[in-house]
């Protein structure tokens, strides 16, 4: 057996100002610097990890297959992908496809990639692959935040999506897609797919798979396995994308039974539509939220910190990670024994490094990336403190999310103001893993408060340690106030932007 494996992952926030050049497609752990990994370096980086490629590599090795992995390219969410970056990635994959001789193709994609030229990046990649090779079966694993298009399904043989958010089943999803593909290659299964969407934009803060209603919807997807579905997936979608097909969708794969696939798909979409009001998020004003947090009793030893969630500025949804509204209010209100992760500010990091460990510094942090697509200003914040930590910002994830995968925060420092330890980093990393803190010499379990720039993924690594969580409405391009976003291209009408609760 000969298998072609590849990864192309980017969740595009069309409201984000953060650039998406090829160099953003890390993990940049190898000596050649930032950018995608290729061939043997890609195999070495992902073998044995809890990633989609890790699952495909395990399947390929189990099948004693010859492996071709031309490129592994994954970037943190940001604005539409540079046209040249997309062409580079697609060209590498398509060149391998054109050489031919594969029994199967296994792709680890995101499903919400928008490029400067295409609003459906994955569909465009798959269309090009199918134009070169109309026959070889293709498996695709998509993120739960995928915004599905016809080309993303019709040009694939089998599709599976994550069932968890935080995404702790990335490996399992690719394993499910890849195993079905192997059965198809052997002639043991004949996958057929039915997909569809409903006009609704579930709020990201309401999409967690530990919460109603997504918990029940995802459980239903899993249960469909006992009713003849090879794979059933419900995508909550990524709403910070002003594209026609943003929103909730579903796809069901069965073994040759199209009627069943359509019936199960309709059931998932109907169940989700009934829950549309439950997917709406209610915002608490920042001052009220912080006052509530201050009134909470201090955690007893071992209880874990109170999480202050700066969810408007989540870099893993395209946020600049440099807005300072929430951190500024925390400092002004006199919160004590706080760790804050993190402000993205490569310049401030270099100033702290130049000052050295133990030096007292006054830095103007954050507020450097303009956000023309949302209202308001995000000013820089002046802080004074000592340089507690200087680090290269690299670690491997503890898990459960992306266990073993290399993460690179770039040069990183911690400034200790006496009350607040502020992490400053040089590459966008959402705090979904405890090693974000441990690698910088911060033990979040010893803190009364931990400020996180995150929405749901923080729960993967840090959820179990939190005594309480307080949502803090700040500023950023993943604003939870959708009235701040100007949608021009999404199909209308769509709930909750237009539709009454009917
Ligand atoms: Zn996602």
């Amino acid at each position: 057996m000969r298998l072609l494996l590849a990864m192309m992952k980017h969740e595009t926030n069309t409201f984000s100002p953060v650039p998406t050049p090829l160099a953003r497609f890390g993990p940049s752990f190898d000596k050649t610097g930032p950018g995608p990994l290729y061939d043997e370096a890609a195999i070495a980086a992902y073998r044995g990890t809890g990633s989609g490629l890790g699952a495909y590599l395990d399947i390929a090795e189990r099948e004693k297959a010859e492996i071709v992995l031309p490129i592994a390219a994954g970037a943190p969410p940001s604005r539409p992908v540079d046209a040249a970056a997309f062409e580079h990635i697609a060209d590498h994959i398509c060149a391998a496809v054109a050489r031919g001789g594969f029994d199967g193709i296994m792709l680890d994609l995101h499903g919400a990639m928008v490029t400067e030229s295409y609003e459906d990046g994955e569909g465009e990649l798959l269309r090009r692959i199918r134009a070169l090779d109309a026959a070889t079966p293709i498996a695709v694993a998509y993120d739960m935040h995928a915004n599905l298009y016809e080309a993303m399904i019709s040009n694939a043989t089998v599709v599976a999506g994550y069932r968890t958010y935080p995404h702790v089943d990335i490996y399992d999803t690719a394993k499910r897609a890849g195993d079905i593909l192997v059965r198809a290659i052997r002639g043991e299964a004949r996958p057929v797919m039915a997909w569809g969407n409903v006009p609704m934009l579930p709020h990201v803060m309401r999409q967690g798979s530990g919460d109603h209603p997504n918990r029940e919807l995802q459980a239903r997807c899993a249960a469909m396995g006992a009713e003849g579905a090879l794979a059933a997936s419900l995508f909550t979608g990524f709403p910070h994308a002003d594209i026609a097909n943003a929103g909730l969708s579903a796809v069901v794969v069965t073994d040759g039974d199209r009627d069943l696939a359509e019936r199960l798909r309709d059931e998932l979409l109907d169940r989700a539509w009934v829950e549309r009001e439950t997917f709406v998020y209610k915002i608490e004003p920042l001052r009220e939220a912080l006052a509530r947090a201050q009134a909470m009793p201090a955690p007893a030893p071992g209880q874990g910190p109170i999480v202050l969630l700066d969810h408007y500025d989540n870099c893993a949804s395209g946020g600049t990670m440099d807005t300072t509204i929430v951190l500024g209010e925390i400092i002004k209100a006199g919160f004590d024994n706080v760790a804050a992760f993190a402000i993205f500010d490569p310049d401030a990091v270099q100033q702290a490094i130049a000052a050295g460990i133990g030096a007292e510094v006054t830095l103007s942090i954050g507020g450097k990336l303009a956000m023309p697509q949302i209202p308001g200003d995000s000013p820089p914040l002046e802080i004074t403190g000592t340089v507690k930590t200087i680090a290269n910002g690299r670690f491997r994830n503890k898990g459960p999310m992306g266990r073993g995968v290399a993460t690179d925060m770039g040069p990183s420092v911690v400034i200790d103001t006496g009350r607040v330890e502020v992490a400053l980093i040089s590459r966008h990393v959402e705090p979904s893993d405890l090693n974000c803190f441990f690698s910088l010499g911060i033990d979040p379990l010893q803190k009364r408060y931990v400020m996180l720039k995150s929405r749901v993924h923080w729960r993967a690594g840090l959820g179990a340690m939190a005594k309480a969580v307080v949502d803090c409405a700040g500023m950023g391009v993943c604003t939870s106030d959708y009235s701040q976003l100007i949608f021009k291209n999404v199909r209308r009408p769509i709930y909750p932007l237009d539709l009454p609760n009917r």
Side-chain angles (χ1 to χ4, degrees):
M1 192 180 290
R2 190 159 179 266
L3 296 173
L4 172 60
L5 277 49
M7 177 174 93
M8 179 185 85
K9 291 177 104 154
H10 184 255
E11 180 180 85
T12 305
N13 182 329
T14 63
F15 303 98
S16 172
V18 179
T20 316
L22 188 64
R24 192 167 171 85
F25 288 80
S28 86
F29 250 50
D30 71 331
K31 295 186 179 59
T32 60
L37 296 177
Y38 305 90
D39 306 310
E40 288 304 319
I43 293 173
Y46 286 96
R47 178 183 278 136
T49 65
S51 62
L53 277 182
Y56 289 153
L57 286 164
D58 281 353
I59 291 171
E61 285 165 14
R62 182 191 72 204
E63 299 297 323
K64 301 187 170 35
E66 181 188 339
I67 298 165
V68 175
L69 202 174
I71 190 166
S78 44
R79 74 176 296 278
V81 176
D82 284 8
F86 175 76
E87 295 301 327
H88 175 94
I89 299 164
D91 283 354
H92 267 76
I93 297 171
C94 288
V97 173
R99 286 194 291 275
F102 295 103
D103 299 292
I105 299 171
M106 296 181 176
L107 301 175
D108 184 15
L109 308 180
H110 184 284
M113 176 189 275
V114 181
T115 80
E116 289 177 328
S117 309
Y118 305 99
E119 71 172 41
D120 173 18
E122 291 84 358
E124 177 61 19
L125 172 70
L126 287 162
R127 193 190 61 72
R128 292 183 189 187
I129 292 172
R130 269 293 171 250
L132 292 165
D133 176 347
T136 304
I138 299 174
V140 185
Y142 287 124
D143 190 286
M144 189 187 283
H145 295 108
N147 293 319
L148 286 195
Y149 282 75
E150 169 67 19
M152 290 167 62
I153 305 298
S154 62
N155 293 305
T157 309
V158 52
V159 160
Y162 305 165
R163 289 181 181 153
T164 59
Y165 181 33
H167 305 322
V168 294
D169 67 332
I170 298 172
Y171 179 95
D172 305 316
T173 302
K175 178 85 164 41
R176 187 158 60 243
D179 279 340
I180 296 167
L181 193 81
V182 169
R183 291 181 57 201
I185 292 168
R186 293 207 186 103
E188 297 167 4
R190 294 178 40 228
V192 295
M193 292 193 284
W195 82 279
N197 57 25
V198 281
M200 58 187 280
L201 292 170
H203 198 289
V204 175
M205 290 290 283
R206 294 290 308 122
Q207 291 184 8
S209 59
D211 300 334
H212 173 73
N214 200 19
R215 178 179 55 220
E216 289 77 12
L217 290 168
Q218 297 302 329
R220 186 67 193 110
C221 287
M224 285 178 174
E227 297 168 28
L230 296 175
S233 309
L234 181 125
F235 301 91
T236 42
F238 186 60
H240 294 263
D242 185 20
I243 55 173
N245 278 14
L248 186 137
S249 59
V251 59
V252 176
V253 191
T254 62
D255 189 0
D257 190 340
R258 184 165 301 281
D259 287 348
L260 176 65
E262 290 176 355
R263 188 163 54 75
L264 295 177
R265 170 206 61 194
D266 289 345
E267 184 200 322
L268 288 174
L269 294 176
D270 289 347
R271 280 174 181 253
W273 179 249
V274 166
E275 297 291 356
R276 60 196 178 281
E277 271 185 84
T278 329
F279 275 117
V280 174
Y281 175 73
K282 294 179 181 61
I283 297 165
E284 181 182 25
L286 178 58
R287 294 258 165 87
E288 287 174 28
L290 288 178
R292 193 160 60 81
Q294 261 185 323
M296 288 178 175
Q303 259 193 334
I306 297 162
V307 169
L308 306 172
L309 206 59
D310 185 3
H311 56 98
Y312 277 35
D313 190 27
N314 170 23
C315 71
S317 296
T320 59
M321 209 178 186
D322 86 332
T323 71
T324 57
I325 301 292
V326 173
L327 178 59
E329 289 294 323
I330 287 170
I331 291 173
K332 199 159 72 179
F335 280 70
D336 196 12
N337 195 15
V338 185
F341 188 98
I343 301 291
F344 168 84
D345 194 332
D347 292 341
V349 168
Q350 291 304 322
Q351 290 170 41
I353 291 173
I357 293 272
E360 184 174 297
V361 290
T362 295
L363 300 171
S364 173
I365 63 169
K368 296 187 171 73
L369 291 164
M371 300 177 291
Q373 293 205 59
I374 63 159
D377 251 355
S378 169
L381 177 70
E382 190 174 284
I383 61 168
T384 298
T386 55
V387 181
K388 171 189 155 123
T389 305
I390 294 175
N392 71 2
R394 294 177 173 187
F395 60 84
R396 287 190 184 275
N397 290 333
K398 279 175 80 72
M401 191 174 160
R403 173 189 44 79
V405 173
T407 297
D408 187 354
M409 307 187 291
S412 302
V413 300
V414 177
I415 308 298
D416 185 356
T417 71
R419 289 175 175 264
V420 184
E421 291 186 334
V422 182
L424 305 176
I425 63 179
S426 302
R427 282 171 63 89
H428 287 119
V429 173
E430 182 183 9
S432 59
D433 197 280
L434 270 171
N435 278 349
C436 289
F437 288 92
F438 290 152
S439 68
L440 298 180
I442 298 174
D443 181 354
L445 299 162
Q446 309 297 327
K447 296 292 175 186
R448 179 165 178 178
Y449 299 100
V450 173
M451 188 206 89
L452 301 174
K453 284 189 179 279
S454 177
R455 297 202 286 196
V456 175
H457 277 144
W458 71 273
R459 297 184 201 169
L462 293 85
M465 68 159 201
K467 175 176 184 263
V469 55
V470 176
D471 295 352
C472 297
M475 176 171 281
V477 292
C478 5
T479 171
S480 282
D481 180 358
Y482 289 178
S483 72
Q484 292 185 339
L485 303 174
I486 309 296
F487 288 93
K488 296 179 190 151
N489 302 307
V490 71
R491 65 199 187 285
R492 306 301 279 262
I494 193 162
Y495 186 88
L497 302 184
D498 306 302
L499 298 180
N501 298 339
R502 58 182 162 84

